[in-house]
Amino acid sequence: MDFNVKRLAADAGTLFSRAVQFTEEKFGQAEKTELDAHLDNLLTRAESSKHWTEKILKQTEVLLQPNPNVRIEEFLYEKLDKKVPTRMNNHELLGQSMIDSGNEFGPGTAYGNALIKCGETEKQIGGAEREFIQSSAINFLTPFRNFLEGDFKTILKERKLLQNKRLDLDAAKTKLKKAKMADARALAEQDLKLTQSEFDRQAEITRLLLEGISSTHAHHLHCLNDFVEAQMTYYAQCYQYMVDLQKQLGSFPSAFSSNNNQSTASAAASVSVPILPLSAPLPATTTNASSGFTELQNFSGSRKARVLYDYDAAGSNELSLLADEVIMVSSVPGMDSDWLMGERGNQKGKVPITYLELLN
């Protein structure tokens, strides 16, 4: 018991001398031992690493799970050391809705079958997204989180201990300056040597830990490569799924019809959905129409044409169209066979022939 009391008294005395030294430094009444430039730079670098690691970690979590409520729920499950319940992601939910609606409309119908195909693809994309999130969490988020919760906390602990050793050293220096008697000075010098030794030892420990930040950066670089590779795999899978889906949809017949007064013959014309960029014109609807356009392109002059579908001009040399309006069209030498020159009053520009029906 006597030993504990003395220990408590010694600890209290140390804390008090540190507090006095710290206060006097703040008021400029005591000298402060500065850390060497190399150690100071290492401390600054460690703080910068911690700041940007936290920011990258947070933004990656937002990217992988945009819903903040779900992130909070997953955090709580992690802290409680419980497994997060499996739930369908947005792609899978959409896919299931498409499949259910396709079955309701009838798998034997073109629309129902197309919905089912789209739903299956959405569920495939959802599965790929799940794998991407899991891979990113293991290979990217976990190492970043381990650094913040492990290595950097150790650095903070040792840095705080270094700060305390520095305060002890400066307090010993102040004590030596104030000592007048020979015995007091000898005791103060002995105390100064001890505190200097402990400070140097702690500075070396802290320096070694801080220099380990370079190894951390190298490890995080490897993790970053894994993250990029996981993203590349995910997007490549999604692209391939959509290409396959587009090919499947291209084999389904569909009937194009105008919005209001399109003729029955044009409405009943059946075509295949092309696998083309969005800016490409749709295929021609009837054989008669194609022969009429061919005749128009081979001879000069202009004819009236009805617009079958709305069309937004992709450039200043094209003419925007509205379904059911009637315009004048003519052929221009050297123009692509899929296009004609259209005129509406004073407006003039290229129009795709597949959006038109020639009138007699």
Side-chain angles (χ1 to χ4, degrees):
M1 184 69 181
D2 182 54
F3 173 79
N4 291 336
V5 171
K6 289 182 179 179
R7 178 69 178 273
L8 289 173
D11 291 343
T14 302
L15 290 174
F16 178 74
S17 64
R18 289 174 181 171
V20 171
Q21 178 66 28
F22 182 79
T23 304
E24 289 180 348
E25 286 177 359
K26 289 297 182 181
F27 286 99
Q29 298 175 354
E31 295 182 4
K32 176 181 177 181
T33 300
E34 299 293 341
L35 301 177
D36 65 82
H38 177 61
L39 185 57
D40 196 45
N41 288 336
L42 289 176
L43 287 169
T44 303
R45 187 186 184 201
E47 281 295 334
S48 178
S49 298
K50 179 238 183 187
H51 169 75
W52 289 111
T53 300
E54 285 179 333
K55 195 159 189 176
I56 293 172
L57 177 65
K58 180 180 178 182
Q59 293 303 319
T60 306
E61 289 174 339
V62 172
L63 171 69
L64 299 179
Q65 179 48 263
N67 190 328
N69 294 327
V70 176
R71 291 202 304 274
I72 293 174
E73 181 182 357
E74 291 176 349
F75 174 79
L76 293 176
Y77 273 104
E78 182 182 351
K79 291 301 180 183
L80 295 174
D81 198 21
K82 291 186 177 182
K83 185 179 179 181
V84 179
T86 303
R87 60 166 62 85
M88 297 177 71
N89 56 35
N90 290 332
H91 285 291
E92 292 170 328
L93 289 171
L94 173 60
Q96 190 60 52
S97 297
M98 287 181 168
I99 292 173
D100 292 342
S101 61
N103 288 325
E104 179 72 21
F105 295 139
T109 65
Y111 182 46
N113 196 359
L115 280 171
I116 293 174
K117 294 294 184 184
C118 289
E120 291 172 347
T121 300
E122 290 294 337
K123 294 187 78 170
Q124 285 181 310
I125 293 176
E129 180 184 289
R130 192 182 301 279
E131 292 177 1
F132 165 60
I133 292 175
Q134 183 178 8
S135 174
S136 299
I138 295 173
N139 299 323
F140 190 66
L141 294 182
T142 299
F144 274 50
R145 194 176 288 115
N146 288 342
F147 166 71
L148 294 173
E149 297 177 357
D151 294 349
F152 193 77
K153 282 189 175 181
T154 302
I155 290 174
L156 288 179
K157 178 182 176 182
E158 296 300 329
R159 188 179 67 177
K160 182 178 180 181
L161 190 55
L162 177 63
Q163 172 72 358
N164 290 336
K165 296 300 182 183
R166 185 196 63 76
L167 289 172
D168 293 341
L169 174 62
D170 288 336
K173 291 179 179 179
T174 302
K175 184 178 179 181
L176 178 61
K177 287 183 179 180
K178 293 180 178 179
K180 303 298 183 182
M181 304 296 292
D183 292 343
R185 288 187 62 84
L187 187 60
E189 288 176 354
Q190 184 179 358
D191 189 31
L192 177 60
K193 288 181 181 180
L194 178 62
T195 54
Q196 182 70 59
S197 175
E198 291 180 348
F199 172 76
D200 292 340
R201 177 176 176 275
Q202 186 58 40
E204 182 64 17
I205 293 174
T206 306
R207 182 185 64 78
L208 291 174
L209 285 173
L210 291 173
E211 288 178 345
I213 293 290
S214 297
S215 298
T216 299
H217 285 182
H219 178 52
H220 286 181
L221 174 59
H222 178 72
C223 297
L224 183 61
N225 287 330
D226 290 341
F227 179 61
V228 171
E229 184 176 351
Q231 277 188 309
M232 180 188 68
T233 302
Y234 168 61
Y235 291 128
Q237 285 178 320
C238 293
Y239 173 76
Q240 188 59 52
Y241 291 149
M242 297 311 295
V243 168
D244 294 341
L245 174 62
Q246 192 181 36
K247 290 179 180 178
Q248 294 179 59
L249 294 181
S251 64
F252 292 162
S254 59
F256 290 102
S257 59
S258 63
N259 294 336
N260 297 316
N261 299 323
Q262 184 180 348
S263 65
T264 304
S266 297
S270 180
V271 298
S272 295
V273 178
I275 305 174
L276 295 171
L278 293 177
S279 59
L282 295 173
T285 57
T286 65
T287 305
N288 292 336
S290 298
S291 61
F293 286 120
T294 302
E295 181 182 349
L296 177 61
Q297 289 171 336
N298 291 334
F299 299 95
S300 59
S302 59
R303 285 181 59 178
K304 289 184 178 181
R306 184 189 305 277
V307 178
L308 299 178
Y309 324 105
D310 290 347
Y311 175 74
D312 292 327
S316 59
N317 63 334
E318 297 181 13
L319 183 66
S320 295
L321 304 174
L322 294 176
D324 293 328
E325 71 171 326
V326 177
I327 63 173
M328 298 298 296
V329 293
S330 59
S331 177
V332 175
M335 184 176 290
D336 190 280
S337 61
D338 292 329
W339 298 82
L340 290 172
M341 184 59 66
E343 294 185 44
R344 184 200 305 114
N346 296 328
Q347 295 179 317
K348 191 174 182 180
K350 291 169 54 179
V351 293
I353 63 174
T354 50
Y355 282 70
L356 304 172
E357 176 190 19
L358 288 178
L359 300 178
N360 295 328

